Amino acid sequence: MTAPRLILEATIRFLRAHEPFARMTRRDLEYLAGHVRLAYFAAGSVVVDAASGAQCPLHVIQRGHVRAIDARAPADATLLGPGECFPLGPAGQAVASVGYVATEDVFCYQLEASECQALRASSVAFAEFCAQSLRTLLHQSQGQVRRQFSQRAVEQQTLLQPVRALIRRAPVSCAAATPLRAALERMSAEGVGTIAVVDDAQRPIGIFTLTDLMERVVLPGADLGGPVSAVMTPSPGAVDEETTAQEALAVMATHRYHQLVITRAGALCGVVSERDLFALQRVSMQYVIEAIRGARDVEALKGAAADIMTLADNLLAQGAAAEPLTHTIASLNDALTLRLFALLAADHDLEGIDWCWLSLGSEGRREQTIASDQDNALVFEVAEPQREMARARLLAFAHAANQALAALGVPLCPGNIMAGNPAHCLSADEWRGRFASWLREPAPEALLAANIFFDFRALAGQAPLADALRRWLVEVAPDSRLFLRLLATNALAAEPPLGVMRAFVTDDGVHRGTIDLKADGTRIFVDAARAFALAFGIAETGTAPRLRLAGRRLGLEERETGAYADAFHFLQLLRLRAQRGHVGSEGGPAPHAAPNRIDPYALNELDQRMLKEALRQARLLQKLLEQTLAR
Amino acid sequence: MRWPWTRQLERRQVRAALAEPLRARLAHLHRRALGAASGRRLRATPLALARFVAVDLETTGPRMDCDRVIAIGAVAVAERALAHADAFAAVLRQSASSSVDNILVHQIGGQQQLGGVEPAAALLEFLEFRGAAFAVAFRAEFDAEVLGRELELQLGVRVPRRFLDLALLLPALHPGTQNDSLEDWLEHFGLVPIGRHDALADAYTTAQLLLIVLDAAQRLGARSAGDLVDLEAAQRWLGRRR
């Protein structure tokens, strides 16, 4: 007997609202809806016993919540909600040690194992889902971001706005009979490269640009007393001010115009150049790098810094993954800082000093988000007698650099961990002494503050100085047992906000209803990775590479360490989206005071599941850390 | 004046008028599922294995003594689950479509009513679908009465009632509520109907309530389908519907 249409339709309607069913074909959904049984479980009853084995039917929660409890780690209960499937292990089969208990009255669709197999054979989306890993979910999540924000990107892209919005200033114009010299003087006085030639009714009849000056005036030796009409380009490309920027671009491309005259009711009202229009198109990485390289002063760099934000926004909208995204931001910020130093160097005499600018914290790990503030330091090497003199010169330079970076939009470090602070502008010997004291006599509080120093990386100057310091640290750290244990204990202090009754434990008070993605999320991964790196003598500073190398040392499978890295990157991505106002349907940037906070329940269903899984990975990582280092 | 044997005679006439294949199926059904022995077996079936059929009827009106069946929706619950593939729905062809008011309630238009399945065939198919299972409905009295009469008129058979009433079982197993109507209970359990004013949709919801009832009954120590019947009888004796 086949299921009546009404039941099929109602079931499919429900399934379609959830992954992976949303991506399955109608035929496969009909198969699923027609073969499931609906079962009821009162609150507190066991839905799937841990011992039920591989022949257990697949459950899809229709209503209510179910808690998954791993017998090996009872504290790691995960809460599953409507649309979620269980039991699903890594290979799409039940995991023997995990049991499922209804936390409230629950209805579940059940699909027998044999039918599940048939569905896997027929539906690629379902098969993929069953062979589920964090990776597939992550992929889907990025796809959703892409879909969600391509609309936003279109709106941002001002190519659809009328070209009048691009007119920057009142046009400079003259009559046809104006002597060439007078026209050039006007252009020079107004600081423009283009002058429009108009008739008595202000209608554009020609255009003259600085490019024409060479070919039509200077080289032919034209008479500067003659009328401008003799050298102008007659009947210039003109469009009405209501034309969209898109169309204007098309007109330029077709006729190879470099300038367009904009008219209102036929009369001249502005001139736009190719550059004005091209700036509207997506800011590309290349463009930003060139803008940084070409910047002649701090003022010009400010524009480039703003472009980095736009680029990050666009990459986010295009669904870029967190790792390349944060790396992009990091390398652009590096380029920005290097250019800034080059500009500043002219004012500072650093001759004869070997110095190296160190990036610390997230910058050192190349994991900058948009709200990251400055964390930097200086290491230098000079002959002993000149040390204090060198320090003074470096401090002056560093102070100026810190202020200039702040002017570019990288906030000053509230804890004053900056190169301009004498405490962090040290010689190589002094740095070694400082690290040695942390390693030898660690105090938990002091270590918390010291964390970011261990993530140092050379940014500018003599990189070998930083490398030597790193080599030394990698050698001595693994033997500092007490230090490592404290480091691990600190990393275990944070608790992933996973709930027992609800999926997430949100905060109260000022940040009511939100969770801190940094303090209770990414930091756990960062701290654990740092502890592992120092314990195993890993020179890497990035969290993901550190975890990968540590995993190899611990004999973990690539898949396992990959899951940690994926979880970390997902949390980073959420932070970036929160900071750029991409979280939730409301849009608008997050309140500046809490750039890393989000309301987890405002996320879409898929992201909620991802977040849950990522936080669960944080917990697993903590457990690993506890077992290896905290004992 | 109608004598008991008049009705018996009428039923025989109806049966005689049935097409041969229908008559054969009916006889088979009688032997297999409608006898007294099947009733005893049914009562003794363990709850966890028993099959129930949640039923909802759309009728020409609310009068128990004369209104007719327009549509039947039924969803089976077996082994404590509602199987999508084990469901039944039919619209019965009417000789004259029912009144406009009624059409508005059930949204089964005159065209669809007149175009439905031949009633005898549809009813027989329903009986076969139901088999020896208990039928379950909310306010089952009405459905049992109307369906019983329809079966007499169309198939010329009297079948054992075997209806369980959720309106009695629910307050027996979930005492202390003010719930009275089906809507009250749906809200109580947070159930959302899969359709409106549709026999099958209502049967589906009834089946969901039945799942809840079966779970509660088992917790209370009920072992067999017969225990449910006794529970229902006790609640009826208490005379409380809430």
Side-chain angles (χ1 to χ4, degrees):
Chain A
M1 193 142 194
T2 56
R5 191 116 301 265
L6 176 84
I7 294 180
L8 287 183
E9 294 305 329
T11 314
I12 291 174
R13 214 164 35 240
F14 168 81
L15 291 171
R16 279 246 164 99
H18 305 277
E19 289 293 344
F21 312 111
R23 293 176 297 125
M24 283 164 61
T25 64
R26 168 103 206 155
R27 197 174 55 97
D28 292 330
L29 285 175
E30 275 187 13
Y31 178 88
L32 179 60
H35 285 79
V36 292
R37 293 148 39 99
L38 186 70
Y40 167 79
F41 302 91
S45 53
V46 175
V47 182
V48 173
D49 198 301
S52 59
Q55 282 312 303
C56 166
L58 174 78
H59 289 66
V60 184
I61 301 175
Q62 192 243 2
R63 214 177 69 80
H65 284 86
V66 167
R67 188 179 309 147
I69 301 165
D70 193 331
R72 291 168 306 183
D76 281 350
T78 321
L79 203 61
L80 306 170
E84 292 193 74
C85 302
F86 65 92
L88 273 182
Q93 255 131 31
V95 179
S97 61
V98 184
Y100 298 84
V101 176
T103 61
E104 55 191 315
D105 288 2
V106 164
F107 279 98
C108 282
Y109 294 119
Q110 300 174 322
L111 188 68
E112 288 304 327
S114 58
E115 282 152 354
C116 211
Q117 195 111 39
L119 192 59
R120 275 219 294 276
S122 117
S123 167
V124 178
F126 185 69
E128 235 174 53
F129 179 75
C130 286
Q132 169 198 41
S133 67
L134 196 55
R135 216 167 280 272
T136 21
L137 277 176
L138 185 66
H139 190 71
Q140 285 163 25
S141 174
Q142 278 165 18
Q144 264 188 10
V145 174
R146 235 189 323 262
R147 280 193 295 282
Q148 195 174 340
F149 295 123
S150 57
Q151 186 56 39
R152 188 188 150 107
V154 166
E155 284 161 15
Q156 278 175 349
Q157 256 181 2
T158 36
L159 282 175
L160 292 177
Q161 69 188 3
V163 73
R164 96 178 106 77
L166 298 174
I167 299 172
R168 293 192 177 169
R169 49 168 299 156
V172 178
S173 64
C174 62
T178 311
L180 190 49
R181 179 184 299 277
L184 287 171
E185 278 166 1
R186 266 306 289 291
M187 287 168 77
S188 169
E190 299 273 357
V192 295
T194 307
I195 191 163
V197 184
V198 293
D199 65 8
D200 295 341
Q202 290 296 306
R203 282 190 297 260
I205 54 170
I207 197 168
F208 181 79
T209 69
L210 287 182
T211 333
D212 302 330
L213 183 66
M214 179 73 87
E215 286 178 16
R216 298 185 194 161
V217 180
V218 179
L219 294 179
D223 178 11
L224 287 184
V228 70
S229 57
V231 291
M232 71 178 187
T233 308
S235 43
V239 294
D240 187 77
E241 59 170 358
E242 293 301 330
T243 315
T244 65
Q246 181 89 60
E247 287 172 70
L249 259 181
V251 169
M252 282 184 162
T254 322
H255 301 283
R256 293 169 190 273
Y257 295 143
H258 297 291
Q259 279 83 20
L260 270 188
V261 176
I262 313 299
T263 57
R264 180 185 304 139
L268 174 76
C269 70
V271 176
V272 298
S273 74
E274 203 171 33
R275 269 180 53 195
D276 296 332
L277 279 165
F278 281 138
L280 285 183
Q281 284 183 307
R282 285 221 173 116
V283 180
S284 70
M285 173 113 180
Q286 196 55 40
Y287 170 86
V288 177
I289 287 180
E290 273 166 21
I292 291 171
R293 288 212 187 109
R296 295 290 164 86
D297 49 36
V298 175
E299 211 49 41
L301 274 179
K302 267 184 199 166
D307 285 342
I308 295 179
M309 294 297 144
T310 316
L311 180 64
D313 238 4
N314 285 337
L315 288 173
L316 211 50
Q318 288 162 33
E323 194 168 19
L325 189 51
T326 45
H327 278 189
T328 303
I329 297 177
S331 33
L332 289 177
N333 278 347
D334 284 0
L336 188 75
T337 314
L338 285 173
R339 180 71 199 145
L340 178 69
F341 289 174
L343 292 175
L344 290 176
D347 303 335
H348 295 271
D349 175 21
L350 301 176
E351 265 305 305
I353 311 175
D354 278 344
W355 58 274
C356 178
W357 182 276
L358 301 175
S359 292
L360 308 175
S362 64
E363 220 182 314
R365 299 188 302 269
R366 303 179 151 268
E367 284 156 12
Q368 276 156 296
T369 59
I370 292 150
S372 302
D373 53 20
Q374 292 188 43
D375 289 315
N376 43 53
L378 267 172
V379 54
F380 62 92
E381 198 146 54
V382 285
E384 180 65 33
Q386 277 107 48
R387 183 191 281 180
E388 290 318 310
M389 217 236 310
R391 197 194 315 270
R393 271 153 65 191
L394 280 170
L395 276 174
F397 163 72
H399 183 74
N402 289 145
Q403 295 305 322
L405 278 170
L408 291 183
V410 192
L412 293 171
C413 172
N416 202 10
I417 301 184
M418 292 186 292
N421 178 349
H424 306 309
C425 180
L426 305 178
S427 73
D429 285 341
E430 288 168 328
W431 274 117
R432 273 195 289 275
R434 160 113 43 100
F435 278 115
S437 78
W438 279 325
L439 295 175
R440 234 177 283 123
E441 299 130 22
E445 289 302 306
L447 271 195
L448 277 181
N451 268 339
I452 64 165
F453 288 99
F454 289 94
D455 300 336
F456 70 84
R457 157 176 80 91
L459 174 59
Q462 305 286 322
L465 281 178
D467 295 344
L469 192 57
R470 175 62 66 185
R471 268 199 306 280
W472 170 82
L473 187 61
V474 158
E475 209 158 294
V476 295
D479 295 328
S480 315
R481 307 302 286 272
L482 179 61
F483 162 79
L484 290 173
R485 196 161 72 224
L486 279 176
L487 211 55
T489 313
N490 278 345
L492 293 174
E495 200 174 324
L498 281 172
V500 176
M501 294 313 292
R502 300 185 76 201
F504 306 103
V505 179
T506 54
D507 289 335
D508 270 334
V510 197
H511 300 304
R512 199 182 149 73
T514 63
I515 60 173
D516 190 329
L517 289 172
K518 185 181 179 188
D520 298 329
T522 52
R523 187 178 290 159
I524 294 173
F525 291 91
V526 169
D527 287 354
R530 181 187 302 115
F532 281 133
L534 290 169
F536 297 142
I538 295 166
E540 276 290 346
T541 58
T543 297
R546 276 173 168 177
L547 286 174
R548 260 191 292 275
L549 292 171
R552 226 169 275 166
R553 281 301 198 76
L554 289 165
L556 299 182
E557 278 183 48
E558 203 74 23
R559 188 170 47 79
E560 217 168 324
T561 40
Y564 295 139
D566 286 346
F568 170 67
H569 287 140
F570 176 73
L571 292 171
Q572 286 282 81
L573 192 66
L574 272 191
R575 280 178 69 193
L576 283 165
R577 278 161 57 188
Q579 289 167 4
R580 297 311 291 162
H582 282 185
V583 165
S585 50
E586 293 301 307
H592 188 69
N596 292 309
R597 288 193 167 270
I598 58 155
D599 171 5
Y601 295 106
L603 294 174
N604 68 39
E605 187 216 338
L606 182 64
D607 284 339
Q608 282 194 31
R609 267 162 72 185
M610 290 288 306
L611 179 56
K612 233 186 305 180
E613 177 61 23
L615 292 174
R616 211 174 62 79
Q617 292 292 340
R619 218 185 240 172
L620 291 176
L621 182 62
Q622 282 184 322
K623 196 152 299 157
L624 182 69
L625 187 66
E626 196 174 6
Q627 286 161 358
T628 43
L629 294 186
R631 280 191 299 204
Chain B
M1 178 89 194
R2 283 164 69 95
W3 302 99
W5 60 81
T6 333
R7 304 188 67 172
Q8 208 174 343
L9 211 66
E10 280 169 9
R11 284 204 297 274
R12 191 173 298 167
Q13 283 166 357
V14 171
R15 285 205 298 275
L18 288 176
E20 180 50 43
L22 289 188
R23 234 175 334 168
R25 277 164 61 190
L26 194 58
H28 176 74
L29 190 67
H30 231 282
R31 280 194 303 278
R32 193 171 56 87
L34 304 178
S38 70
R40 278 193 301 278
R41 265 201 313 275
L42 190 56
R43 281 187 60 103
T45 318
L47 263 196
L49 298 178
R51 179 170 182 269
F52 298 88
V53 169
V55 178
D56 189 73
L57 304 177
E58 305 301 350
T59 59
T60 52
R63 294 157 303 180
M64 213 189 268
D65 56 340
C66 63
D67 272 315
R68 304 290 299 266
V69 176
I70 297 175
I72 307 174
V75 176
V77 168
E79 295 171 36
R80 307 285 305 276
L82 176 175
H84 281 191
D86 201 2
F88 173 89
V91 174
L92 275 56
R93 187 192 303 151
Q94 306 289 304
S95 40
S97 71
S98 62
S99 73
V100 172
D101 282 357
N102 208 262
I103 288 176
L104 287 180
V105 171
H106 298 306
Q107 297 177 343
I108 300 173
Q111 203 61 42
Q112 203 185 339
Q113 281 181 25
L114 293 170
V117 185
E118 205 273 304
L123 287 163
L124 183 60
E125 210 174 304
F126 168 70
L127 283 181
E128 285 168 342
F129 169 78
R130 172 180 164 181
F134 272 110
V136 180
F138 193 88
R139 302 261 151 81
E141 227 173 311
F142 176 82
D143 300 78
E145 187 68 31
V146 175
L147 184 65
R149 191 177 50 256
E150 198 71 42
L151 289 169
E152 269 191 66
L153 291 171
Q154 304 280 10
L155 290 175
V157 291
R158 294 184 71 170
V159 298
R161 281 193 142 194
R162 289 181 195 161
F163 258 89
L164 286 172
D165 193 351
L166 287 183
L168 289 169
L169 287 171
L170 281 167
L173 293 163
H174 293 268
T177 70
Q178 294 295 309
N179 297 339
D180 182 50
S181 66
L182 180 62
E183 285 68 34
D184 291 342
W185 285 106
L186 294 189
E187 201 184 318
H188 180 90
F189 293 114
L191 295 178
V192 182
I194 62 169
R196 292 180 61 78
H197 299 304
D198 177 283
L200 183 63
D202 286 347
Y204 194 93
T205 317
T206 307
Q208 282 185 283
L209 283 174
L210 176 62
L211 287 174
I212 295 174
V213 159
L214 289 176
D215 183 82
Q218 197 145 40
R219 280 162 196 272
L220 212 70
R223 291 279 163 271
S224 65
D227 290 348
L228 269 191
V229 178
D230 296 342
L231 187 67
E232 191 208 36
Q235 182 73 14
R236 181 174 287 129
W237 183 77
L238 281 172
R240 281 190 306 160
R241 285 216 156 174
R242 58 185 62 223

